[in-house]
Amino acid sequence: MSMVEKNFKAEINRRRRLESTYPGLMDVFVQLVGSIPPSHSKQEEFPMAAAIVEIKEGKLEIFTDGLNEVNKRGQPGAHAEAVAIEREAAKKRDKHLTGMYLVTTVEPCLGCVGDAINAGLKGVFFGLSQKDIKGKHVYSGEKNATYKTYRDFRGYNGKQLLNANGVGIVEGGLYRDMILQKLTRTYPRLADMGDIDELILNDPDVGVR
């Protein structure tokens, strides 16, 4: 069996395991991807979505969702994850979202990792990694400026940082094919990310994150 086939099989098995443990996880990702409006391309908002979810009646249910609102609000930290966490906290009138999960189409940046920790979330599930999107998750000033992810800070990666601060469940690289296809169709600036199948199947990290 080739490495590509092994990666593909490992990813399928991981999805099945997660869907068994967290029923409805794929449906949440499908809803988030479908909620990203084409208008984000014109507004120069990075097309991503996030949601605060909780298991209700044996299935993950979206309580609050959010889109990237950096340009809309004129706030550099108004990422989809931060928006979703803020809205759920306001709705509950409680800054602690204990027992809830964050689902996001793109790996959280350092600031959003901090928000997840401060909110007391139980877990984080994300789709594309910062590696997948070549650092285009956030940009300021020059459009081609390199964005440093939290991997550049003190040697941490997101999973380690979240786990070390009480967020026990972190799974990344989920449904990357579906998210990549949506993003490269609706956001021309991401069209240079390369062949989607090659990114998905030849990545040695697939099924391991």
Side-chain angles (χ1 to χ4, degrees):
M1 183 181 294
S2 69
M3 181 60 70
V4 170
E5 292 171 325
K6 288 180 180 178
N7 285 341
F8 183 76
K9 185 176 181 180
E11 179 61 14
I12 293 301
N13 287 338
R14 185 170 70 126
R15 290 183 185 185
R16 288 173 178 167
R17 173 177 58 82
L18 287 171
E19 274 293 325
S20 175
T21 307
Y22 306 99
L25 181 60
M26 183 178 74
D27 292 340
V28 171
F29 272 102
V30 169
Q31 289 181 59
L32 288 180
V33 170
S35 73
I36 300 173
S39 61
H40 266 203
S41 177
K42 297 178 181 178
Q43 297 166 358
E44 289 294 332
E45 296 279 16
F46 189 92
M48 63 176 294
I52 299 299
V53 304
E54 191 172 15
I55 296 178
K56 288 292 183 183
E57 299 181 355
K59 186 176 181 180
L60 285 178
E61 178 182 330
I62 293 178
F63 277 62
T64 308
D65 58 11
L67 298 171
N68 219 19
E69 296 186 2
V70 172
N71 291 325
K72 179 180 178 180
R73 297 189 185 191
Q75 296 177 3
H79 302 168
E81 305 98 310
V83 171
I85 290 171
E86 174 191 313
R87 287 177 178 169
E88 182 60 26
K91 188 167 69 174
K92 291 183 66 175
R93 296 184 179 181
D94 188 346
K95 62 183 180 181
H96 300 295
L97 307 182
T98 308
M100 307 187 87
Y101 302 86
L102 171 67
V103 181
T104 177
T105 55
V106 175
E107 182 178 16
C109 70
L110 180 64
C112 292
V113 164
D115 288 341
I117 292 169
N118 291 333
L121 292 171
K122 186 174 183 179
V124 174
F125 301 97
F126 66 84
L128 302 180
S129 68
Q130 296 286 345
K131 174 184 173 183
D132 290 329
I133 59 174
K134 297 182 178 180
K136 295 181 179 180
H137 177 195
V138 180
Y139 66 91
S140 176
E142 293 296 326
K143 293 183 180 180
N144 295 320
T146 301
Y147 173 67
K148 287 185 175 293
T149 72
Y150 47 75
R151 287 197 181 90
D152 297 309
F153 294 85
R154 300 182 183 178
Y156 279 112
N157 63 33
K159 181 178 176 63
Q160 290 172 340
L161 187 55
L162 287 160
N163 288 162
N165 289 276
V167 183
I169 301 161
V170 183
E171 291 281 352
L174 299 170
Y175 306 104
R176 298 163 72 221
D177 46 354
M178 173 178 66
I179 300 169
L180 276 169
Q181 287 168 0
K182 169 76 173 186
L183 264 60
T184 53
R185 282 199 305 266
T186 61
Y187 205 62
R189 205 159 60 83
L190 297 180
D192 64 344
M193 289 199 300
D195 182 76
I196 291 172
D197 291 334
E198 183 179 348
L199 277 170
I200 299 300
L201 299 180
N202 291 331
D203 187 341
D205 292 335
V206 169
V208 180
R209 287 194 184 90

